[in-house]
Amino acid sequence: MISMLEYYARALTKNRSSLLSFAIQPLSFIFLLTVISGGRLLPNALIGAMVSFIAGVGITDLAIELAGLKTRSKFYDILITLPVHPLKLGLGISIGMSLPALPYLVLLVLSLAYLEGLSFPKVLSLLAALALLWLWSVFVGLYLGVKLKEPIVIMRASNIALTLLTVFLPVYYPVEVLPSVLQKPLLLLPTSASAYLIRSLYEPLPYWNLSLVALLTWAVLSGMLAFREGIFREE
């Protein structure tokens, strides 16, 4: 597991352009929302970028990488012969691919904490919410990468899913701008639930407990699905 983590961390961080391309979309949304709103939506934009980084690592990057392993037959053959449980192998790849997002996440978390005056316990709660979202996204990415056979299908499906879950849902913008009839149902989805839960750390929101239960449920259900489908089954 440690070897896989080191391999992907080095491969993904040695090229500066790849680090920039990794972050360009979330940072672009921060810029646009901040300029358009005159700075009022900057906290929401920071939260949206955090959620996008975390969800993107699992749903798109991990799923596409697993599909690519199947085409890079020599490397894939080496991996499947390693005396390592598939769970450890999957987590090693997942954590390694998540490391390029770490500097951006640290900067986003510190920026939000400074803007909203978050205390240390609230920062820890923020990190816990992001950890739950990361677990969900990793399990989904593993499922897509293992169950879908064609890399092009995985690429399209994961990109569509990420766009729907982070751009159209209330992640970069507050859920209150939507009709009230839609607010509770949308807070049951993992990305909007995590964004809402983070917002509740610095402003009083009525449905924070609903978003917390939803996020916990998604993390548990996605893990159960991964184990049930045999993604971590040792051959």
Side-chain angles (χ1 to χ4, degrees):
M1 177 178 172
I2 299 299
S3 299
M4 294 303 304
L5 192 156
E6 291 177 351
Y7 169 80
Y8 280 97
R10 290 176 181 175
L12 294 172
T13 56
K14 67 180 180 181
N15 192 320
R16 293 183 180 179
S17 61
S18 66
L19 288 175
L20 179 61
S21 64
F22 180 83
I24 193 65
Q25 182 173 331
L27 295 180
S28 299
F29 279 127
I30 292 177
F31 173 77
L32 289 173
L33 287 173
T34 303
V35 171
I36 292 172
S37 68
R40 290 181 294 105
L41 289 179
L42 177 57
N44 292 89
L46 294 174
I47 294 172
M50 295 179 205
V51 173
S52 292
F53 277 129
I54 296 293
V57 164
I59 296 176
T60 55
D61 297 341
L62 178 58
I64 293 171
E65 174 61 18
L66 291 177
L69 285 177
K70 299 172 185 176
T71 61
R72 302 199 299 271
S73 57
K74 289 184 179 179
F75 188 40
Y76 183 71
D77 291 341
I78 294 173
L79 286 181
I80 62 176
T81 58
L82 292 176
V84 179
H85 192 280
L87 173 57
K88 292 183 178 180
L89 190 62
L91 288 177
I93 296 175
S94 305
I95 297 172
M97 296 197 70
S98 301
L99 289 181
L102 191 57
Y104 299 110
L105 285 173
V106 170
L107 180 60
L108 293 171
V109 170
L110 291 177
S111 299
L112 184 65
Y114 174 77
L115 287 174
E116 300 299 336
L118 296 182
S119 62
F120 183 68
K122 289 189 174 182
V123 171
L124 292 180
S125 298
L126 188 158
L127 296 177
L130 293 178
L132 287 173
L133 184 69
W134 180 80
L135 283 175
W136 166 79
S137 70
V138 164
F139 286 138
V140 172
L142 288 169
Y143 181 85
L144 291 175
V146 171
K147 290 300 179 180
L148 298 182
K149 303 302 180 184
E150 296 296 329
I152 189 65
V153 174
I154 296 176
M155 187 178 300
R156 289 173 178 171
S158 60
N159 283 326
I160 291 173
L162 184 65
T163 301
L164 291 174
L165 288 167
T166 59
V167 177
F168 290 97
L169 291 184
V171 171
Y172 282 96
Y173 62 92
V175 70
E176 290 81 7
V177 304
L178 298 174
S180 58
V181 69
L182 295 177
Q183 292 179 17
K184 279 189 178 181
L186 291 179
L187 291 178
L188 296 176
L189 299 174
T191 49
S192 50
S194 60
Y196 188 87
L197 190 60
I198 293 172
R199 277 183 59 211
S200 71
L201 296 174
Y202 60 84
E203 61 179 283
L205 296 174
Y207 307 129
W208 68 269
N209 52 348
L210 175 66
S211 62
L212 175 59
V213 171
L215 189 56
L216 284 167
T217 302
W218 278 107
V220 172
L221 288 179
S222 59
M224 290 174 60
L225 176 64
F227 278 94
R228 175 184 156 186
E229 294 296 327
I231 292 176
F232 298 136
R233 188 174 299 143
E234 196 166 14
E235 303 293 339

